[in-house]
Amino acid sequence: MNGFKKFLMQGNVIDLAVAVVIGAAFNSIVQSFVADLLTPLISAFGGLPDFSSLRVTVGRSNFMYGNFINAVVSFLLVAGVIYFLVVKPYTHLKERGAAKVESKTRDCPECLSEIPKPASRCAYCSAQVAPAG
């Protein structure tokens, strides 16, 4: 029982639980954006916003391929929204933040170990190095 308690108190489990809850809440926002804003916009230009009535009848079986088309279109719209409104801005901010962080180390020309920029001698191979410029 003590191991289970330790497992539950790890940061990864808590982080994952928070991510699932936030993801579920964010899912409803994205679904609403797609269903209430994008789909009507597409139907204004393209016509039919709902393909669920499309089907093929073979014998007594109805193949509701329209529902499948709805699911594919919905998936593509959700994926596009996630990419353009979450992933792309996040990547841009992350790259901008990474560009500001300047490296405090450099490579030793002799052994290629990382040494501090102001160092005049390598701590690994004791080679004398030129001052960083």
Side-chain angles (χ1 to χ4, degrees), residues 32-50 77:
S32 175
F33 180 75
V34 169
D36 300 332
L37 298 176
L38 287 183
T39 303
L41 184 66
I42 291 170
S43 68
F45 294 108
L48 190 64
D50 184 18
L77 289 174

Side-chain angles (χ1 to χ4, degrees), residues 9-127:
M9 290 300 152
Q10 285 180 349
N12 295 346
V13 174
I14 303 298
D15 292 343
L16 183 59
V18 169
V20 168
V21 171
I22 295 295
F26 188 68
N27 178 44
S28 64
I29 292 171
V30 172
Q31 291 292 342
S32 175
F33 180 75
V34 169
D36 300 332
L37 298 176
L38 287 183
T39 303
L41 184 66
I42 291 170
S43 68
F45 294 108
L48 190 64
D50 184 18
F51 301 105
S52 61
S53 62
L54 300 177
R55 63 180 160 195
V56 172
T57 304
V58 177
R60 292 186 175 178
S61 298
N62 288 325
F63 294 94
M64 306 294 288
Y65 70 92
N67 288 331
F68 178 73
I69 293 173
N70 276 345
V72 169
V73 169
S74 178
F75 170 78
L76 292 174
L77 289 174
V78 168
V81 167
I82 294 294
Y83 178 75
F84 289 109
L85 296 182
V86 177
V87 173
K88 196 164 179 145
Y90 174 75
T91 305
H92 178 71
L93 289 174
K94 189 175 173 184
E95 288 172 355
R96 223 171 88 191
K100 290 181 182 178
V101 176
E102 186 178 327
S103 175
K104 296 181 180 186
T105 62
R106 61 185 170 140
D107 291 337
C108 171
E110 297 294 323
C111 68
L112 301 178
S113 299
E114 280 190 5
I115 59 173
K117 277 193 174 180
S120 60
R121 191 171 291 276
C122 178
Y124 301 100
C125 70
S126 70

